[in-house]
Amino acid sequence: MLKNKLLFISPLVVILVIALFGLTLIPSVQQKPKNLPIALVNEDIGAVIPQQGKVNMGNTITNMLKKNTTSTDGEVSLVKWINVESKEDVLKGLDNQEYYGALIIPENFSQKQSSLMTSKPEKPEISLLINQGMNPAAANLTSQMLNTMGDNLENGIQTQVLQGLAKQNVSLKVNQLTLLTDPLQVNVENVNGVGTASMNGSAPVALFQPLWMSSIAGAVVLFFVANKLTFVNRKQKLYAMLTQVLAGTVLSLVAGFGLAWISDLLGIQISNFMDISLFLTITYFAFFLLITAVLSWLGMKGIPIFVLILFFGAPLLSMAPEMMSTFYRDYIYSWLPMRFMVEGLRKLFFFHQGFSFSGTTSILLWIALGSFFILVLSVLKVQGSASDKGYYEEKKARATKG
């Protein structure tokens, strides 16, 4: 063994493998959220305060929030506030996955805040909506930020009211003092909740790996079966390819319905078994055709491509695009075919949307169609250095001799 050069090269090989797959950790380590879209609804109509005129605390709060989250040092801000007219519009945007959360100031906010300085105080309220199903990590971050903002608003209101009372030299009554210890009612609501049986909202990502690996396995097995056949003309090769696709369709049904059944058996909440099974079936079929198309041109040399896609793509699937670096978001995540699977499953799991052939499903079908076209073209490719005619004549002679 000491005379074998591979023995001394092995440490270098280990270092290269560690370095290569260590790169897959970069997106998770360097998470830096930026421009998280959060809706801001200000329905406050204002109030008239003696000696001050009309005030609108809703406008004051919105201006303060935007100022505090706007970057002044050239860096991208953490939050991207989006003005929305009403709560109804916000709910539609949350269902369409446009916002990770929302802050809503009701129309009587100024009136109730000004009442804190009177003998009949009323506690003002704000509503915080968290779009929990959109992305677990981003939802948790949004919840922390909005709750911190609520605490800061409460402290600000308390300070403002006490300063106003001090200027007027007004003594506090018991009911006022009680309210001033907690002068703001913050109502937090999770929208499109992930429930208690969805692996904390990560079920769509968790289902990707078994489906991806099984699609690789199915494509490789059928590739070996087709590769052992002897063709005497292109027509036979085309028939074999179509049979391969037909077999892949059967595998898709087995994988789609099988994975949904196993997930349900393991306790993952499957909201609609048929819808999720059909979507997984189409997803498997798209992945199967994509892998088969590559194998038809590159052979087994193409397998490392899909293994690398798995290792480099899997960490990104659990992240929100706003939490990725520009490079990973634009040049890796945007080109991952499996992201359409995760996005489609999120809609089915958490956004109460049924199966349809639009949206992510249509994209997966286009991937399948494009892969099928590339697969058909492989039937026409020239084999080796000989012409097709010579190649098939040689195959025919070998088959006859055999």
Side-chain angles (χ1 to χ4, degrees):
M1 289 185 64
L2 294 176
K3 294 180 179 180
N4 194 323
K5 295 180 180 180
L6 292 177
L7 179 65
F8 301 98
I9 296 176
S10 59
L12 179 61
V13 173
V14 171
I15 292 175
L16 289 175
V17 172
I18 290 177
L20 177 62
F21 289 100
L23 294 175
T24 63
L25 302 175
I26 293 178
S28 302
V29 174
Q30 296 185 349
Q31 292 188 42
K32 190 175 182 181
K34 47 189 177 294
N35 279 338
L36 287 171
I38 298 179
L40 183 57
V41 180
N42 178 22
E43 298 178 329
D44 189 12
I45 60 176
V48 177
I49 299 178
Q51 301 178 353
Q52 294 186 33
K54 188 172 183 178
V55 297
N56 190 306
M57 295 307 301
N59 291 337
T60 302
I61 291 172
T62 55
N63 293 333
M64 179 189 68
L65 290 175
K66 291 180 178 180
K67 181 179 178 180
N68 291 341
T69 54
T70 300
S71 176
T72 57
D73 55 3
E75 294 185 2
V76 181
S77 59
L78 179 63
V79 175
K80 180 181 179 182
W81 291 107
I82 301 176
N83 291 322
V84 183
E85 291 296 326
S86 64
K87 182 177 180 179
E88 289 73 19
D89 293 335
V90 163
L91 292 175
K92 291 179 182 178
L94 292 172
D95 288 339
N96 292 329
Q97 301 188 56
E98 297 174 12
Y99 322 118
Y100 287 104
L103 189 152
I104 302 175
I105 304 173
E107 61 179 10
N108 58 2
F109 186 86
S110 292
Q111 295 176 359
K112 288 190 174 182
Q113 181 173 336
S114 62
S115 72
L116 294 174
M117 302 176 65
T118 67
S119 58
K120 296 181 179 180
E122 291 185 81
K123 184 183 294 189
E125 300 180 8
I126 62 171
S127 296
L128 305 179
L129 305 182
I130 312 299
N131 201 359
Q132 198 175 37
M134 191 169 174
N135 182 275
N140 290 334
L141 179 60
T142 301
S143 178
Q144 294 173 10
M145 288 191 303
L146 290 179
N147 278 289
T148 299
M149 292 174 187
D151 294 338
N152 293 337
L153 286 175
E154 185 175 43
N155 294 333
I157 291 173
Q158 188 180 58
T159 301
Q160 184 179 12
V161 172
L162 289 175
Q163 289 176 349
L165 292 172
K167 289 181 180 179
Q168 299 177 22
N169 197 22
V170 176
S171 59
L172 294 176
K173 296 182 178 180
V174 175
N175 59 342
Q176 289 178 295
L177 184 61
T178 302
L179 276 181
L180 284 179
T181 58
D182 183 21
L184 180 65
Q185 177 68 40
V186 180
N187 302 313
V188 182
E189 179 183 353
N190 288 325
V191 182
N192 301 313
V194 298
T196 58
S198 65
M199 304 172 69
N200 295 322
S202 62
V205 178
L207 294 182
F208 148 70
Q209 187 165 328
L211 196 76
W212 181 257
M213 293 304 297
S214 62
S215 62
I216 294 177
V220 168
V221 169
L222 293 183
F223 171 77
F224 277 123
V225 172
N227 206 39
K228 289 183 178 181
L229 299 176
T230 301
F231 308 110
V232 296
N233 53 51
R234 285 200 185 110
K235 191 174 182 180
Q236 287 187 357
K237 190 175 182 181
L238 178 61
Y239 286 160
M241 183 272 292
L242 293 177
T243 304
Q244 193 175 355
V245 173
L246 182 61
T249 304
V250 176
L251 293 180
S252 301
L253 291 168
V254 172
F257 283 82
L259 182 57
W261 176 74
I262 291 175
S263 300
D264 186 53
L265 195 65
L266 293 176
I268 298 176
Q269 186 176 2
I270 303 296
S271 55
N272 189 308
F273 181 83
M274 183 59 67
D275 286 353
I276 292 177
S277 297
L278 287 174
F279 181 79
L280 290 175
T281 298
I282 291 176
T283 302
Y284 183 96
F285 189 61
F287 291 168
F288 168 83
L289 286 180
L290 176 64
I291 297 167
T292 302
V294 173
L295 292 178
S296 67
W297 286 90
L298 301 180
M300 291 301 295
K301 296 177 182 178
I303 290 298
I305 296 175
F306 300 104
V307 175
L308 289 175
I309 288 176
L310 169 64
F311 282 104
F312 281 92
L316 297 177
L317 297 178
S318 60
M319 296 172 59
E322 291 81 5
M323 301 178 73
M324 304 176 192
S325 67
T326 303
F327 172 78
Y328 277 94
R329 184 182 65 247
D330 296 340
Y331 298 105
I332 297 183
Y333 179 76
S334 60
W335 291 95
L336 291 176
M338 63 278 290
R339 76 181 179 92
F340 301 110
M341 170 189 173
V342 175
E343 291 173 6
L345 284 178
R346 281 203 181 107
K347 293 179 181 179
L348 292 171
F349 269 94
F350 311 127
F351 289 85
H352 315 294
Q353 297 185 19
F355 175 82
S356 71
F357 287 99
S358 60
T360 54
T361 306
S362 65
I363 296 175
L364 289 168
L365 289 173
W366 278 110
I367 292 174
L369 182 61
S371 300
F372 179 76
F373 179 71
I374 295 173
L375 185 58
V376 171
L377 288 179
S378 69
V379 177
L380 306 177
K381 70 179 179 179
V382 175
Q383 303 290 336
S385 58
S387 65
D388 282 347
K389 184 177 180 180
Y391 171 79
Y392 287 118
E393 286 179 352
E394 182 183 351
K395 282 283 188 179
K396 185 175 181 180
R398 290 180 180 179
T400 304
K401 185 177 179 180

